[in-house]
Amino acid sequence: GAAAGSAGTALASFIMLSRYLSKELKKPQLLHASVNSRDTAEDQHLLQEVKLLLRDYWPHPILEFSGYTSTFWSGFWAVLPSRAHGEMETLTLNDGGTVSLHWFEPPEMQFQDRIVLVLPGLNNDSRTSFIQGTMSHLRAGGFQAVTLNYRGTAGLQLTSPRLGCADSWTDINQVVDHILKKHPNAMLFGMGFSMGAGMLMRYLGMEGDRCRLRAGVALAGPTDYPAMSRYIESTWKKRLVNWIMVNGVKLFMMRSFFTSPYCKDLSRRDILAAKNLRELEEASICKLHGYADSADYYKSNDPLPVLGQISVPTLVVNAEDDPVVGISTLARDELSKNSRIYTVVTKRGGHIGWGSGGLGASAWTDDMAVDFFQACAIRPRRSVSASRSKL
């Protein structure tokens, strides 16, 4: 009996290992404009660097078995309490709004010649465990990390009638001004997760040649907001994920709004009754920020129309099995036309669920981001004229 049981276990293990090696351990797909004689040495160097980085992808055979398991696993880590390392700085914006900057190391320290501005996603802030893990990875790689906490998040009181949401990319320039005033000689990079990744791509595209960031990394970010909105309401599983996300917003992000003087201008009942993100946005953000409806909100902040204007090296990473930002919504054609963008598509990973074999949330993408930023930092920045001549 024992021998038969051992043989059965060995056979099952062999079958699982064979399946993992043949089907799951699939090299990520790289989408990038064809390299030609007009590409600079920086373009070609970064393309080779990204190709080398793809070899380190090892999805966990259990936790990343499907997009839903990896997404809920990363979500589980996100809600766990964590010890927030670093120093918080409050910044008042021109319209009276308040954001905060969470520096992983005190901002007055002298090593800060390379700084990464981290943009969290929906229901996350600088205290979230995987954001703290990312900041730690960046610091170990030789970068100072500073996370932007949007209006009304991370315990901030609302001091203006605007919420932290997809249009918070419009606050980034004031944040960049502040950071570069403190560290005028620093190289500044940007890294965004989910909504933060969408904001980063929108910001990079809108800034175009004026962009003061040296490079960007966008993880699990939407490239087409209208398509994503339709996708996340398309099946009962996706509607369940949507419902979980919207209730997270009510529980965590709307708390500061409900205690603010601006709450009286909106219907608390409509906000609490929202069954999905679109309904919540129309009950709160659209009314408060002056959008006609959710379609107007998405169109006004969509990265898609400006992807071709991104002029700095940008690494975009998405997963085929992402149940939130569906791979069918990825703007492959627009991303592939711009030689400044390096798009990586993994088979597994879900929504911010890349775990590098289970060695901590987003460990693989953290390491990849560090290596990409290091490669960008040591290369001379391409001239604006060269950047724009090919687009």
Side-chain angles (χ1 to χ4, degrees):
S6 298
T9 301
L11 178 60
S13 300
F14 175 77
I15 292 173
M16 290 181 63
L17 178 60
S18 298
R19 184 186 187 280
Y20 178 76
L21 294 174
S22 64
K23 295 185 178 182
E24 300 301 323
L25 196 59
K26 178 183 176 184
K27 183 178 179 181
Q29 181 184 5
L30 175 62
L31 308 176
H32 186 261
S34 299
V35 176
N36 55 53
S37 58
R38 292 182 298 170
D39 287 288
T40 65
E42 182 191 18
D43 287 324
Q44 297 183 33
H45 171 77
L46 287 177
L47 183 59
Q48 294 306 313
E49 285 286 335
V50 172
K51 288 180 179 179
L52 290 174
L53 295 176
L54 299 184
R55 300 183 305 178
D56 297 331
Y57 174 64
W58 288 81
H60 195 286
I62 298 175
L63 300 179
E64 296 181 57
F65 181 75
S66 78
Y68 290 95
T69 57
S70 52
T71 298
F72 283 113
W73 177 249
S74 64
F76 169 74
W77 278 98
V79 299
L80 288 179
S82 63
R83 178 180 175 273
H85 175 88
E87 182 175 309
M88 200 78 77
E89 176 187 14
T90 301
L91 177 63
T92 302
L93 303 176
N94 293 340
D95 67 350
T98 304
V99 298
S100 67
L101 296 176
H102 189 152
W103 299 83
F104 194 71
E105 300 289 356
E108 63 274 7
M109 291 183 65
Q110 298 301 310
F111 74 91
Q112 327 220 20
D113 57 334
R114 299 178 179 181
I115 302 174
V116 179
L117 175 63
V118 180
L119 305 175
L122 192 68
N123 294 331
N124 302 141
D125 59 46
S126 64
R127 303 166 300 179
T128 303
S129 59
F130 75 82
I131 297 293
Q132 283 283 306
T134 293
M135 295 173 76
S136 178
H137 270 81
L138 291 167
R139 181 65 191 97
F143 297 87
Q144 163 71 296
V146 55
T147 296
L148 170 61
N149 290 315
Y150 316 123
R151 303 169 190 240
T153 66
L156 291 171
Q157 294 299 309
L158 282 179
T159 57
S160 67
R162 295 184 69 85
L163 298 166
C165 62
D167 70 7
S168 294
W169 65 269
T170 58
D171 293 336
I172 294 178
N173 259 336
Q174 292 183 65
V175 173
V176 170
D177 288 341
H178 178 78
I179 293 174
L180 292 180
K181 185 176 180 180
K182 281 179 172 287
H183 304 283
N185 298 318
M187 289 184 191
L188 188 57
F189 304 82
M191 182 175 180
F193 293 87
S194 190
M195 182 185 77
M199 288 168 45
L200 177 62
M201 289 185 282
R202 175 73 182 189
Y203 173 76
L204 295 177
M206 291 297 290
E207 286 297 290
D209 298 335
R210 304 183 305 273
C211 188
R212 291 172 289 172
L213 301 188
R214 187 65 177 267
V217 172
L219 304 176
T223 55
D224 185 337
Y225 276 129
M228 176 195 159
S229 178
R230 293 189 297 270
Y231 176 85
I232 202 170
E233 295 183 28
S234 60
T235 69
W236 73 267
K237 286 184 180 180
K238 296 177 181 63
R239 288 193 291 271
L240 175 60
V241 173
N242 198 336
W243 181 82
I244 293 172
M245 291 172 64
V246 77
N247 280 285
V249 175
K250 295 175 192 177
L251 183 62
F252 298 110
M253 295 187 68
M254 283 295 173
R255 187 179 304 170
S256 61
F257 174 71
F258 288 144
T259 59
S260 76
Y262 313 106
C263 182
K264 61 179 173 38
D265 299 328
L266 303 181
S267 168
R268 183 192 292 251
R269 179 177 180 178
D270 289 348
I271 292 173
L272 293 177
K275 300 182 294 296
N276 54 53
L277 291 173
R278 176 178 50 79
E279 291 181 1
L280 180 66
E281 290 156 354
E282 293 192 338
S284 57
I285 294 168
C286 293
K287 295 182 184 300
L288 205 60
H289 294 206
Y291 297 107
D293 51 27
S294 59
D296 184 31
Y297 171 57
Y298 300 147
K299 180 180 178 181
S300 300
N301 300 288
D302 194 11
L304 180 58
V306 298
L307 290 175
Q309 300 174 34
I310 293 177
S311 64
V312 299
T314 302
L315 177 65
V316 176
V317 185
N318 288 75
E320 288 182 6
D321 62 355
D322 190 330
V324 178
V325 182
I327 197 63
S328 62
T329 71
L330 187 68
R332 291 173 179 262
D333 290 343
E334 291 302 316
L335 291 166
S336 299
K337 289 176 183 176
N338 189 341
S339 63
R340 299 271 74 190
I341 301 176
Y342 306 82
T343 304
V344 173
V345 178
T346 62
K347 181 175 181 180
R348 298 299 183 193
H351 192 64
I352 324 178
W354 299 280
S356 192
L359 302 178
S362 297
W364 174 71
T365 43
D366 287 349
D367 290 339
M368 192 172 188
V370 169
D371 291 341
F372 184 75
F373 286 145
Q374 288 174 339
C376 293
I378 64 175
R379 306 295 299 181
R381 183 165 183 168
R382 189 168 75 172
S383 68
V384 167
S385 59
S387 171
R388 306 309 301 163
S389 63
K390 297 186 293 180
L391 302 180

